[in-house]
Amino acid sequence: MFQSPLPQEYLGLSPEVLHDRITQARKVLGRRLVILGHHYQRDEIIQYADYRGDSYKLAKEGAALADAEFIIFCGVHFMAESADILAQPGQKVILPNLSAGCSMADMANIFQVRACWKALEKAGIADVTVPVTYINSAANLKAFVGENGGSVCTSSNCPAVLKWAVAQGEKILFFPDQHLGRNTALAMGYTLEEMVVWDPNADDNFGGNTVEALKAAKFILWKGHCSVHGRFTVKQIELARQKYPTVRVVVHPECRQEVVAAADDYGSTEKIQKLIRESPNGSIWAVGTEINQVNRLAEEQKEFDKIVFCLDPIVCPCSTMYRIAPPFLLWVLDNLVEGNVVNEIVVPDEIAFDAIKALNRMIEIAG
Ligand code: 13P
Ligand code: SF4
């Protein structure tokens, strides 16, 4: 989405001035305001978060904040949309920088998903297919899933959602992250032979597959990926093990299959944090996820003599998460103090109507 440039007065403010003014504005707004922060947010932002978490925790926490009039979501666009769909009537969700999107979420759009579904109908398999969308997707894809009897999932509850989905139908159409779908299905005991990849940019009408292959598949995995997690490799894991023979390797399930297989464990950003925090003093951790979270854990766990480092030596920030910068936060706060709501994320009612079914289904399944 397009973000208009910040007013001149917000450019060039020192970190101290930004901090003082953000703190003051939060005080003025008091309990009318709540700030949610995803684990990938930079330190200069996450310090203001009333609640921090992975995408599932934040979606649930946001929904439970009945008192707050304003929810400032320090994360990316799809997270703010989900918060708006789950919000109480009258609550306003604000994304400080509208250009904070997710490149993976952009790899599937509603026209492509509808075209895929049409092709599955043509192949005679749509009525036995359950669509599941990763929460990293636009609200209209969640609505599509809600309309067609499917569910949303996040990285923390994907196993539970897929277990539910395979009990509902013969096949699963999973979008937009092929890796989360594949890693979870493999962990459930399915084999690669039971999966096909749907390429929305294929020249044919069947995502690069034959109709027979689609009919035979249990999982149809959308050809999408995260460019941040795509950087992690098995070689990096081998090097980490050579350097620290007792290292434990944990990665996010958006990593490629061979990387997840070579790691000791994998899970959502919340799980990664929990594993590291709960490990014995002196533990060594190599982590395959975004650098802001890894650096924060490294700093925090130093006092317990733990070494925590990122598998990728050439830093890997999520550039879109990084777009939530202190001047943007101050700008939306100043406007709220003055009675103006800027950068509100509003999912149209006709989309929210079906999207909420798919989000609530996930919450029912995952608890
Ligand atoms: P989590 O649900 O683990 O927070 O993941 C969100 C995400 O976008 C990871 O890249
Ligand atoms: Fe999207 Fe990847 Fe950034 Fe997560 S890390 S928000 S999947 S681009």
Side-chain angles (χ1 to χ4, degrees):
M1 273 181 88
F2 178 71
Q3 173 64 56
S4 53
L6 278 182
Q8 190 67 25
E9 59 180 289
Y10 289 91
L11 307 178
L13 295 176
S14 70
E16 295 73 24
V17 168
L18 285 163
H19 179 63
D20 287 350
R21 287 182 53 182
I22 290 171
T23 307
Q24 185 53 29
R26 286 178 76 208
K27 258 200 200 127
V28 172
L29 292 161
R31 292 168 64 93
R32 296 172 70 202
L33 168 74
V34 80
I35 299 183
L36 303 182
H38 185 266
H39 287 309
Y40 291 168
Q41 291 292 300
R42 46 165 105 182
D43 289 349
E44 307 94 286
I45 290 292
I46 202 83
Q47 62 177 322
Y48 304 116
D50 298 299
Y51 297 90
R52 302 178 184 192
D54 63 6
S55 33
Y56 186 55
K57 192 170 162 196
L58 293 178
K60 268 189 48 174
E61 230 127 61
L65 296 167
D67 284 355
E69 202 178 322
F70 308 116
I71 298 173
I72 294 187
F73 210 118
C74 295
V76 287
H77 193 264
F78 72 80
M79 296 180 182
E81 276 190 333
S82 299
D84 178 56
I85 295 165
L86 294 168
Q88 308 294 323
Q91 277 184 322
K92 295 186 186 312
V93 177
I94 293 156
L95 183 65
N97 183 342
L98 295 178
S99 66
C102 163
S103 54
M104 174 209 283
D106 292 342
M107 290 179 190
N109 67 43
I110 189 66
F111 305 105
Q112 294 168 322
V113 169
R114 284 210 190 108
C116 169
W117 198 251
K118 272 220 149 48
L120 300 190
E121 279 172 349
K122 214 166 157 194
I125 53 174
D127 55 347
V128 292
T129 300
V130 180
V132 174
T133 186
Y134 190 22
I135 196 164
N136 297 36
S137 57
N140 55 8
L141 298 193
K142 295 182 177 84
F144 174 89
V145 160
E147 214 180 305
N148 289 286
S151 178
V152 174
C153 75
T154 69
S155 59
S156 67
N157 57 41
C158 192
V161 172
L162 287 191
K163 189 169 169 228
W164 167 86
V166 293
Q168 309 303 308
E170 287 171 25
K171 295 175 192 299
I172 314 299
L173 170 63
F174 189 91
F175 46 86
D177 186 19
Q178 58 173 307
H179 301 297
L180 178 64
R182 185 177 297 112
N183 288 323
T184 310
L186 286 170
M188 289 167 78
Y190 293 98
T191 63
L192 289 175
E193 288 67 42
E194 292 170 283
M195 306 175 202
V196 293
V197 173
W198 180 277
D199 180 356
N201 300 313
D203 288 337
D204 57 49
N205 292 328
F206 292 99
N209 301 285
T210 60
V211 171
E212 291 66 38
L214 287 170
K215 282 183 171 168
K218 183 79 185 168
F219 290 89
I220 303 169
L221 306 172
W222 196 267
K223 195 176 178 187
H225 68 275
C226 165
S227 44
V228 177
H229 291 93
R231 292 179 57 92
F232 297 112
T233 62
V234 174
K235 184 84 198 149
Q236 291 164 351
I237 296 180
E238 286 166 1
L239 289 173
R241 294 199 194 283
Q242 269 167 29
K243 188 160 178 203
Y244 299 104
T246 60
V247 73
R248 295 207 58 206
V249 180
V250 60
V251 301
H252 197 277
E254 289 173 11
C255 291
R256 280 173 288 120
Q257 179 213 334
E258 61 272 22
V259 173
V260 169
D264 298 302
D265 211 335
Y266 66 94
S268 77
T269 54
E270 191 74 14
K271 178 172 169 184
I272 291 173
Q273 173 174 282
K274 192 167 183 297
L275 276 175
I276 295 176
R277 281 188 175 166
E278 291 177 359
S279 64
N281 288 5
S283 303
I284 305 176
W285 288 93
V287 189
T289 201
E290 208 267 352
I291 193 71
N292 282 289
Q293 183 183 18
V294 181
N295 283 347
R296 198 151 42 239
L297 282 166
E299 204 45 46
E300 172 201 288
Q301 296 297 308
K302 260 188 199 156
E303 64 167 310
F304 306 109
D305 296 325
K306 296 182 203 175
I307 298 174
V308 180
F309 63 96
C310 184
L311 273 174
D312 186 342
I314 326 214
V315 285
C316 46
C318 172
S319 58
T320 47
M321 285 272 182
Y322 201 70
R323 290 179 185 160
I324 307 291
F328 283 98
L329 180 58
L330 177 60
W331 172 65
V332 296
L333 283 168
D334 277 353
N335 270 285
L336 287 181
V337 169
E338 283 164 22
N340 306 322
V341 180
V342 290
N343 280 20
E344 187 181 357
I345 300 298
V346 184
V347 176
D349 286 350
E350 62 277 17
I351 293 176
F353 178 80
D354 283 315
I356 200 164
K357 293 183 202 160
L359 280 161
N360 280 339
R361 198 163 284 129
M362 165 182 76
I363 294 169
E364 270 162 38
I365 297 165

